[in-house]
Amino acid sequence: MSTYPFSAVVGMDNMRLALVLNAVSPAIGGLLVRGEKGTAKSTTVRALTAVLPEVAVVPGCRFSCDPAAPDPACPDGPHDASAPVAVRPARLVELPVGASEDRLVGSLDLERALTEGVKAYEPGLLAAAHRGVLYVDEVNLLHDHLVDLLLDAAALGTSYVEREGVSVRHAARFLLVGTMNPEEGELRPQLLDRFGLTVDASAPREPDVRAEVVRRRLAADDDPAAFAARWVDEEQVLAERIARARGRLASVVLPDAALRQITTVCAAFDVDGLRADLVMARTALAHAAWSGRSEVDAEDVRVAARLALPHRRRRNPFDAPGLDEQQLDQALQDAADQGPDEPPDGPGAGAPDGSGQDDSGQDDSAVDEGQSSVDAGAGAGAGAGAGAGVAPPPAPEAPPAPAATPFRARLLTVPGLGTGAAGRRSRARTDSGRVTASRIPAERVTRLHLPATLVAAAPHQLARGRAGRGLVMRGEDLRESVREGREGNLVLFCVDASGSMAARARMSAVKGAVLSLLLDAYQRRDKVGMVTFRGAEAQVALPPTSSVEAAAARLQALPTGGRTPLAAGLLRAADVLRVERMRDPSRRPLLVVVTDGRATGSAGSAPTAPVEQAQRAAALLAAAGVASVVVDCESGAVRLGLAVTLATALGGELLRLDEVAADSLASSVRARTATPSRKVA
Ligand SMILES: [Zn+2]
């Protein structure tokens, strides 16, 4: 099988450079590639191994021990020092996002351990990736527990497996490469920080370049072997250059001036800790070695900043990574101006502080604005909410109300016991969590329930002819643990954006509450979606996605005003949930309806008809078994209590807007729910 040649990739210069620098200096710590689908990200990653230096291994060792320095703790060891040496190409191992824990870290055969007394360990992908490349496509969709295992292994350079007291440890150092489409959700900050470098990959814009991409792709698909043969020489040259740079790396010097540039830039970009400085220094050194220089210069520092910093200056989960080139130029200039003889608080040091103040000043004003909107909400909402029917829509040129400052939201859960993907919301049968029962295993046991296993074996000891000490175990005795943990859900918001909700201060409070629930969903690894309704129709403002950023952006820009087609909103939500149930059947939905419960129809219709339609739509959702919460946004002196009626029809929980916060005073005593069994923890 021939992969696409690395040298033949067109228009991915940043990505190829970042991969090459990691190949020269694996200590840089890997690469995350962000970009839309169809940009040859995966093709480029898979092409890398062909130009990586070959790896010397102990023959027969499943853990790729280096003959020059075998792992003393190698499960296949100890290795004979005089053993022959085998050389094989560097390896690329792909980790599928839905892989099991056993697939990643390896599996211990408990049946053989118990019945034969043999420690039988089947190595996983981490072992296979040792001294090579571990590639995760769609790394942003990787299951949480795999992320944790990956982070542990990457931090320690070791993989550790333990099952019921039987444990195995082996070396696992690898170049971690992830690709992702940010439209499908951002990465957990801890995992983001683990990647040394990031690049954005986008399809080239120039028609000539695009034409060359297509030309080569057609040729490669037509006759892969012949195409690969055309690039053999270039691949050889590239491989030799990487090997030479790797050999030169140890002797490359990082002068004080260049180091000061690095630290000045990191300070100017306000990164956390010193990890960014270290990664930048290693990248600059690798770039100098790659360029054939013996000393790091300003160009190496600039390249390193572009690759190492974009993902390290995030302020909250909604900020996309990025780097301001002008700010980079300025910081580099400042470092140059400062010179070696200037005191640390000289003119150069002022600029980073100044830019920092600018940023925080903006943040403060935004917070103030949000805060005052919330404060005003209680009073201003009264007039708009209590009047007859529909409040006058705001002036058409009025910009959307800003969201009030988000707060910690209370935990809303789906009742019952799910089987969905691991997360942090509703109760579910999961691979991790606490043991609640035992059962006869359907497949190989990974989670042994020891007491139940012993109890199963005990009655048969006489019949099995037990002679000495110790139980006689058979495979059929094995019992596995049944565990209960938490799953992620699909949280679908159905938000009333009509005129009755449109009092600016109140909409600001509503947006603040929804934003808080969105942040909560981000932390709990939920999918989110949003349906809004106003005027003549309901629309899907955001199809179900893992991108909470996208949801927050849509929410901020949400316009308000017009009539209140509540029934249309509920029916659209039902549509979205039906489709999503087909796509992701085990992910249970939670519908959050944000409304004051009012429903108005077109000018000519009878006033009661829209309310009845909404009731019917709600009953439909209830019949489909959709768990729901109604967030009652009604405020003011005269209240109609329509949201109570809606919650009853939905068979769902009812929360007042001010009860969405986790620490709201009233949260413990209120029980206006239509179904007493429904719990809001
Ligand atoms: Zn070994």
Side-chain angles (χ1 to χ4, degrees), residues 307-390:
L307 296 173
L309 291 186
H311 58 303
R312 297 187 191 279
R313 55 182 314 266
R314 298 169 46 136
R315 288 163 201 277
N316 71 55
F318 295 158
D319 289 341
L323 198 65
D324 183 340
E325 287 279 338
Q326 278 188 336
Q327 197 186 348
L328 176 59
D329 287 341
Q330 185 62 49
L332 288 168
Q333 188 60 46
D334 289 342
D337 290 350
Q338 190 176 325
D341 297 322
E342 297 268 1
D345 55 351
D353 290 354
S355 62
Q357 271 165 10
D358 286 353
D359 284 358
S360 60
Q362 280 168 7
D363 289 352
D364 286 347
S365 67
V367 169
D368 287 348
E369 195 181 331
Q371 211 77 50
S372 58
S373 324
V374 177
D375 294 345
V390 182

Side-chain angles (χ1 to χ4, degrees), residues 58 61-66 70-71 74-77 79:
V58 173
C61 172
R62 294 172 300 163
F63 302 87
S64 301
C65 275
D66 182 352
D71 179 3
C74 175
D76 282 356
H79 297 298

Side-chain angles (χ1 to χ4, degrees), residues 227-387:
F227 186 75
R230 271 168 50 195
W231 290 89
V232 163
D233 290 347
E234 302 234 10
E235 295 281 277
Q236 185 63 32
V237 168
L238 185 59
E240 282 167 9
R241 189 174 164 192
I242 289 173
R244 265 202 315 279
R246 206 183 254 198
R248 187 186 294 122
L249 182 65
S251 61
V252 177
V253 176
L254 178 65
D256 283 351
L259 177 57
R260 196 171 42 250
Q261 275 190 316
I262 288 170
T263 53
T264 304
V265 168
C266 285
F269 280 92
D270 197 19
V271 297
D272 289 337
L274 284 169
R275 197 173 154 80
D277 307 57
L278 271 170
V279 172
M280 245 187 95
R282 286 184 174 131
T283 309
L285 283 163
H287 190 258
W290 170 245
S291 309
R293 283 191 291 273
S294 55
E295 197 174 288
V296 170
D297 69 12
E299 181 55 23
D300 301 323
V301 173
R302 177 182 294 273
V303 169
R306 284 205 189 109
L307 296 173
L309 291 186
H311 58 303
R312 297 187 191 279
R313 55 182 314 266
R314 298 169 46 136
R315 288 163 201 277
N316 71 55
F318 295 158
D319 289 341
L323 198 65
D324 183 340
E325 287 279 338
Q326 278 188 336
Q327 197 186 348
L328 176 59
D329 287 341
Q330 185 62 49
L332 288 168
Q333 188 60 46
D334 289 342
D337 290 350
Q338 190 176 325
D341 297 322
E342 297 268 1
D345 55 351
D353 290 354
S355 62
Q357 271 165 10
D358 286 353
D359 284 358
S360 60
Q362 280 168 7
D363 289 352
D364 286 347
S365 67
V367 169
D368 287 348
E369 195 181 331
Q371 211 77 50
S372 58
S373 324
V374 177
D375 294 345

